[in-house]
Amino acid sequence: MAARYTHGNIEHVESNPPRNTMRQRRSTGCGFLFLIFASILILGAAWLYTTWRSSQSVLPSGLSINGLDVSGMTRAQALATVEQAYTRPISVTYGGEPIPPLLPEVIELRVDMEATAQNLDTALEEQGQSGSILAFVNYLMRQLSGQRPEAIQVPAVVLYSRERVDAYLQRVAQKYDHPPLKAVALPEARTFRPPMTGTRLNAEASLPLLISALRAADPADRQVDLVVETEPPPVASPEILRRAWI
């Protein structure tokens, strides 16, 4: 709409800006804000995608194979670490005292690496580590919700000879079991041999503990305290003490 007024003999005409022009300006401003917002979203998504792709090259936090933490390793490094772990001997104690460790080859201990690798790949797929778009979407949702990754336990396929395990326990019993011994006078040395408590290996109770230790990949868990039953010795008589000093 135009406004008219006269100044002397000259007529002046002023016109207001068209409504369409004002709408165009508002539309341009909204479009600019939308562009900024969209750019921020795209850059954020690109950063998350890059971070996700980088995380795909290593195993996620909290992943362990038979109790051995392998998070942060590559798939190949993790499998090699597990295979190496089962070459370590198993620490053994009898009655609280250490005895020679059990070597893996004695019981034909080995790991089926092909089956273990399949278990690892299956666990990674279930946790969204397959590299697919769906896996990225799951990762994005966890990041936005602040959800921490859960611990992932992957079973290794451990093989061994049960017959050799039983034979090992029998050898330990034959070597270390002994009946209670009474005190014995040693007149020549003017002393006596003190009584000794009898010990007997409980193979039935020790077996599951030993199997648990040989299945473990973590060095801290590759140890076993065998179950040993004790029998007190006879009470030393005063006569034995008297003979020791004659």
Side-chain angles (χ1 to χ4, degrees):
M1 178 181 294
R4 298 175 180 269
Y5 65 93
T6 304
H7 181 70
N9 295 327
I10 302 174
E11 184 178 12
H12 297 270
V13 179
E14 292 184 357
S15 59
N16 294 327
R19 292 184 179 180
N20 291 339
T21 303
M22 296 180 65
R23 291 176 179 174
Q24 289 177 356
R25 290 177 181 175
R26 292 175 183 172
S27 177
T28 301
C30 293
F32 181 71
L33 292 176
F34 175 77
L35 181 61
I36 294 177
F37 180 72
S39 299
I40 294 174
L41 286 180
I42 293 173
L43 290 175
W47 177 79
L48 285 173
Y49 182 77
T50 302
T51 303
W52 172 72
R53 290 298 298 176
S54 299
S55 69
Q56 296 295 291
S57 61
V58 296
L59 301 181
S61 175
L63 190 146
S64 61
I65 301 178
N66 272 24
L68 181 63
D69 184 14
V70 292
S71 56
M73 299 183 186
T74 64
R75 179 181 180 276
Q77 289 172 340
L79 293 174
T81 300
V82 170
E83 187 173 20
Q84 178 65 27
Y86 284 97
T87 64
R88 300 187 181 96
I90 300 168
S91 301
V92 184
T93 60
Y94 176 99
E97 297 295 328
I99 61 176
L102 173 59
L103 302 179
E105 54 267 26
V106 171
I107 55 175
E108 298 181 354
L109 180 65
R110 62 196 185 280
V111 185
D112 187 335
M113 295 308 302
E114 182 178 352
T116 301
Q118 291 178 354
N119 291 341
L120 176 59
D121 293 339
T122 299
L124 293 176
E125 290 178 1
E126 293 175 352
Q127 293 296 320
Q129 290 283 116
S130 60
S132 64
I133 296 299
L134 179 59
F136 171 65
V137 173
N138 292 334
Y139 170 82
L140 183 61
M141 295 301 294
R142 287 197 301 268
Q143 292 297 112
L144 294 177
S145 63
Q147 179 182 358
R148 292 185 177 182
E150 298 179 356
I152 308 171
Q153 300 287 343
V154 178
V157 180
V158 182
L159 307 175
Y160 59 91
S161 170
R162 172 58 189 276
E163 292 182 358
R164 292 205 169 195
V165 171
D166 292 337
Y168 168 76
L169 291 175
Q170 290 176 4
R171 289 195 302 272
V172 170
Q174 292 172 359
K175 184 173 183 179
Y176 296 101
D177 285 3
H178 62 81
L181 302 176
K182 64 181 181 179
V184 177
L186 302 173
E188 296 82 0
R190 299 181 63 82
T191 185
F192 66 95
R193 187 189 67 192
M196 293 183 61
T197 300
T199 60
R200 185 179 68 85
L201 176 67
N202 187 330
E204 183 178 356
S206 297
L207 180 61
L209 301 179
L210 179 57
I211 291 178
S212 177
L214 64 87
R215 287 180 178 273
D218 191 336
D221 297 328
R222 291 182 65 76
Q223 55 185 358
V224 59
D225 297 321
L226 299 177
V227 179
V228 177
E229 299 174 353
T230 60
E231 182 179 351
V235 178
S237 65
E239 180 65 20
I240 293 178
L241 298 178
R242 189 184 67 80
R243 292 179 182 176
W245 291 97
I246 292 178

